[in-house]
């Protein structure tokens, strides 16, 4: 299934399923080859951005902000082909959403305060002014 098809499907689903679909797609595209903790960190950044309110009012809006997450950085025709990796991302997304619904003091945080990340292969200009935590192939930053 392509990214455009999954995002279209998410637009037709009730919000809880749409949220998990969009977050799972993002986790898959950003971190399918990463350990679970790295996938959870990616999900946490998206959820934190939702809570901050600057990036959109739904998880789907957050992860489809232009030039922020893989769903907008890859061609819409990009296909999700590794179903076992997508299932893992689906589970991580569901666990992350459940965790995020807990009171803040009860949440298990992987990357506290992080609201941005970049792969270790690139160096965004804003990175020079911030320290981050590296998990797998991503470094996570708290910019806001």
């Amino acid at each position: 299934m392509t990214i455009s098809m999954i995002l279209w499907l998410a637009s037709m689903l009730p919000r809880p399923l749409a949220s998990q679909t969009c977050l799972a797609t993002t986790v898959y595209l950003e971190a399918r080859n990463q350990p679970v903790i790295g996938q959870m960190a990616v999900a946490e950044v998206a959820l934190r951005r939702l809570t901050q309110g600057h990036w959109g009012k739904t998880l789907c809006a957050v992860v489809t902000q232009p030039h922020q997450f893989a769903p907008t950085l890859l061609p819409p025709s990009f296909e999700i082909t590794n179903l076992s990796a997508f299932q893992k991302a689906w589970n991580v997304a569901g666990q992350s959403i459940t965790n995020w619904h807990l009171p803040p003091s009860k949440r298990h945080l992987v990357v506290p305060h992080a609201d941005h990340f970049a792969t270790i292969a690139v160096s965004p200009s804003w990175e020079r002014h911030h320290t981050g935590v590296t998990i797998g192939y991503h470094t996570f930053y708290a910019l806001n």
Side-chain angles (χ1 to χ4, degrees), residues 111-134:
V111 285
H113 310 292
D115 54 11
H116 285 71
F117 63 87
T119 66
I120 58 175
V122 299
S123 296
S125 59
W126 47 261
E127 176 189 53
R128 284 177 253 145
H129 306 292
H130 297 88
T131 57
V133 172
T134 300

Side-chain angles (χ1 to χ4, degrees), residues 120 132-141:
I120 58 175
V133 172
T134 300
I135 300 173
Y137 295 119
H138 294 96
T139 302
F140 297 85
Y141 304 90

Side-chain angles (χ1 to χ4, degrees), residues 2 13 19 23 25 32 45 64 84-85 94 111 126 128 131:
T2 64
L13 295 170
S19 294
L23 188 57
T25 301
R32 69 184 166 276
V45 167
T64 58
S84 63
V111 285
W126 47 261
R128 284 177 253 145
T131 57

Side-chain angles (χ1 to χ4, degrees), residues 42-89:
V42 166
E44 187 177 314
V45 167
L47 288 159
R48 185 166 291 108
R49 284 186 174 198
L50 176 63
T51 300
Q52 289 174 340
H54 306 299
W55 306 94
K57 295 182 188 218
T58 67
L59 262 175
C60 290
V62 168
V63 302
T64 58
Q65 283 293 312
H67 312 293
Q68 297 299 311
F69 291 96
T72 65
L73 299 171
L74 294 169
S77 60
F78 185 91
E79 292 205 29
I80 306 260
T81 56
N82 186 334
L83 297 181
S84 63
F86 190 82
Q87 179 65 52
K88 183 178 174 184

